[in-house]
Amino acid sequence: MQDQLLQFLGSLAAILLLAGVAWWLKLGPERRLNSEDEARRAAAEAADGFEAKDLALDAEGRAALLRDAGGRIMLLRPHGTHFAARILTPAATARIESNTLVVDTAERRYGGAALRIAEPQAWVKRIEAIK
């Protein structure tokens, strides 16, 4: 009986230790952008002073496109428990596949995103106009 109790307590300690490590590493479910305000805050944090005039939020909150008064376009997407953002350069491309806007930043380390948004063609034109 005492062996079983020690085994149980050892297993419980190991589980709690692993849960603590996961919490410390901030592992968990991917974050979502739940509102336009949340996307605006994340964009302002990513690029100091970025104020979005236009915004397209993915239907499932997986990404957002934001455009400021200067015409800069930012792609914002979750990266673990945080958000990663990139100001699109002239190398970026956009296309529509099955009613989904696919944006490629042309940055190998950042990649791109697929967004289900209203008016994807308008965002394709905006991205193509970046010079």
Side-chain angles (χ1 to χ4, degrees):
M1 180 72 179
Q2 193 168 19
D3 289 338
Q4 290 176 337
L5 180 60
L6 285 174
Q7 184 178 8
F8 171 75
L9 292 175
S11 297
L12 182 61
I15 290 169
L16 292 174
L17 177 67
L18 289 174
V21 169
W23 175 81
W24 182 69
L25 292 173
K26 298 183 180 171
L27 300 176
E30 181 178 82
R31 291 208 34 210
R32 301 278 184 194
L33 295 164
N34 296 312
S35 69
E36 288 187 4
D37 286 339
E38 189 176 343
R40 289 178 197 280
R41 280 192 303 274
E45 289 174 9
D48 192 34
F50 190 94
E51 291 185 38
K53 291 193 70 138
D54 298 315
L55 184 145
L57 184 62
D58 175 68
E60 294 180 15
R62 284 188 264 160
L65 283 169
L66 304 96
R67 186 171 62 137
D68 71 1
R72 296 182 304 163
I73 298 175
M74 176 186 286
L75 174 60
L76 184 65
R77 66 180 175 88
H79 181 71
T81 59
H82 303 285
F83 293 100
R86 288 294 185 275
I87 303 288
L88 300 182
T89 68
T93 61
R95 65 187 183 283
I96 299 172
E97 293 180 4
S98 303
N99 297 324
T100 300
L101 176 64
V102 178
V103 179
D104 181 4
T105 63
E107 290 185 39
R108 193 170 170 195
R109 296 186 78 200
Y110 186 82
L115 300 95
R116 288 187 327 143
I117 60 173
E119 301 180 27
Q121 189 61 44
W123 283 94
V124 168
K125 289 180 182 178
R126 290 173 181 152
I127 292 167
E128 288 175 348
I130 298 171
K131 298 291 177 210

